[in-house]
Amino acid sequence: MTKIDKVLYTGKTHTTGGRDGASQSDDGQLDIKLSPPGSNRAGTNPEQLFAAGWSACFIGAIGFAAANQKVKLPADLAVDTEVDLGTADGGYFLQARLKVSLPGIEADAARALIEEAHQTCPYSKATRGNIHVELTVA
């Protein structure tokens, strides 16, 4: 396990009520209701939040990879992330799919960017070896 040498940022939230609750950040920028997946109640769920965070982080990692590979990224770069909550062996688990859209970049170059991003993205590092992850080029 890698221990951080220098903390760059700490996200802080206060959550009550679990999947039927609410969560707020210490700076007031995040103030959301939570609801169980598929309940059609007001609010989001942890899987959606995880997918949004991973997508945003992954785009940053693609930018880092593009700078290393001297590739100009398209303005309409996008990542569609799906995070599944499911069961196996009597327990709950996650799995994820990241579909990356890099319009105007050839498939091999796009794949190289995505593979490098997957090695540097902190969310990818946190999940590596822990959940099934599929990466595809849109």
Side-chain angles (χ1 to χ4, degrees):
M1 175 171 29
T2 302
K3 184 169 179 352
I4 292 176
D5 293 327
K6 179 182 177 185
V7 173
L8 301 175
Y9 175 77
T10 301
K12 298 177 185 178
T13 61
H14 178 76
T15 303
T16 57
R19 290 180 179 270
D20 282 311
S23 189
Q24 300 84 29
S25 61
D26 66 329
D27 62 5
Q29 294 299 308
L30 178 71
D31 188 359
I32 57 170
K33 291 181 181 184
L34 299 169
S35 61
S39 70
N40 294 321
R41 294 186 213 155
T44 188
N45 59 66
E47 291 73 26
Q48 290 171 328
L49 292 169
F50 189 67
W54 196 347
S55 295
C57 186
F58 203 80
I59 287 173
I62 290 171
F64 183 75
N68 284 344
Q69 297 180 28
K70 298 185 181 12
V71 173
K72 183 175 177 0
L73 292 175
D76 51 352
L77 157 66
V79 177
D80 293 314
T81 302
E82 297 177 344
V83 174
D84 299 324
L85 171 65
T87 60
D89 301 323
Y92 292 98
F93 295 91
L94 299 175
Q95 64 183 18
R97 291 171 301 286
L98 284 75
K99 185 175 177 181
V100 182
S101 176
L102 291 159
I105 297 181
E106 1 177 309
D108 288 343
R111 172 55 66 187
L113 288 171
I114 292 167
E115 290 298 329
E116 184 175 337
H118 192 50
Q119 295 306 308
T120 61
C121 173
Y123 279 72
S124 294
K125 288 179 183 180
T127 58
R128 189 173 339 284
N130 296 313
I131 69 171
H132 178 73
V133 177
E134 292 177 17
L135 301 171
T136 59
V137 178

